[in-house]
Amino acid sequence: MNVVWKWQGARAYAYLNHCQYDRGRKGPRTETTYLGCRLDEAERKLGRILASGRILVSGREAQRLIEELRKKAPEAARRPRPDRAKESVKRNLERLRERYKARPDLTAALDAALDKLKEG
C-alpha cells in the first residue's frame, strides 16, 4: 500500500494504491483511489478512507501513509488555493459599475462594496 503523486499537465494528483484479495480472480487485485490535487484535500480524503474501515490498516500503517503523502507532495500541491468566489464577486461588481455608471447612487453603493471587498 502506497501513495503516489501523478502529474497530468500542470497539476499533480494524489492516488492511494492498495491490493485486495479478489475471490473471482482467486488472487490479488490492485485498486487505485483518487485522493485529490491539493495536499490538505488529499489528507482529509485519506483520513476518511482509513477511518471508514474500507481499507483495513493498523495505526502505524495509517501514520506511515499520511507521512508518505506529505513527503511526496510536490510544491504545487502545497500552495494554498486562491479564493475564486471572491474574485468572481469582484468581477461582477466591476461589470455592474460599468453598466450603471450613469447613475451616481448605484455607482456609490458599488464602489463602497468594492472597497469592502478589497479591505478584507
Side-chain angles (χ1 to χ4, degrees):
M1 191 173 311
N2 64 345
V3 175
V4 178
W5 286 87
K6 295 180 183 178
W7 284 92
Q8 291 181 356
R11 292 186 120 173
Y13 298 93
Y15 294 92
L16 173 67
N17 293 332
H18 55 96
C19 292
Q20 291 184 333
Y21 183 76
D22 187 3
R23 289 185 178 168
R25 292 178 56 195
K26 295 184 180 174
R29 177 183 50 155
T30 301
E31 290 184 3
T32 302
T33 306
Y34 173 71
L35 297 176
C37 64
R38 296 277 178 215
L39 181 60
D40 56 343
E41 177 185 341
E43 283 180 353
R44 274 195 309 271
K45 189 154 184 187
L46 181 60
R48 278 196 308 260
I49 289 171
L50 296 175
S52 71
R54 196 175 103 191
I55 299 172
L56 299 175
V57 295
S58 66
R60 183 176 286 162
E61 179 73 10
Q63 187 63 31
R64 184 193 66 78
L65 285 172
I66 292 172
E67 287 174 6
E68 185 178 356
L69 178 72
R70 290 178 184 153
K71 186 175 78 173
K72 289 183 176 180
E75 188 60 37
R78 296 175 193 271
R79 281 188 237 124
R81 183 175 288 178
D83 189 8
R84 304 231 187 262
K86 193 173 182 180
E87 292 172 8
S88 175
V89 169
K90 189 187 297 185
R91 275 195 313 270
N92 288 334
L93 285 173
E94 288 171 354
R95 286 181 193 145
L96 286 171
R97 187 175 63 186
E98 287 298 314
R99 183 184 296 168
Y100 296 110
K101 60 184 166 187
R103 293 187 52 191
D105 56 333
L106 289 177
T107 307
L110 291 171
D111 286 337
L114 274 169
D115 290 340
K116 280 203 174 219
L117 250 173
K118 288 178 183 174
E119 287 175 6

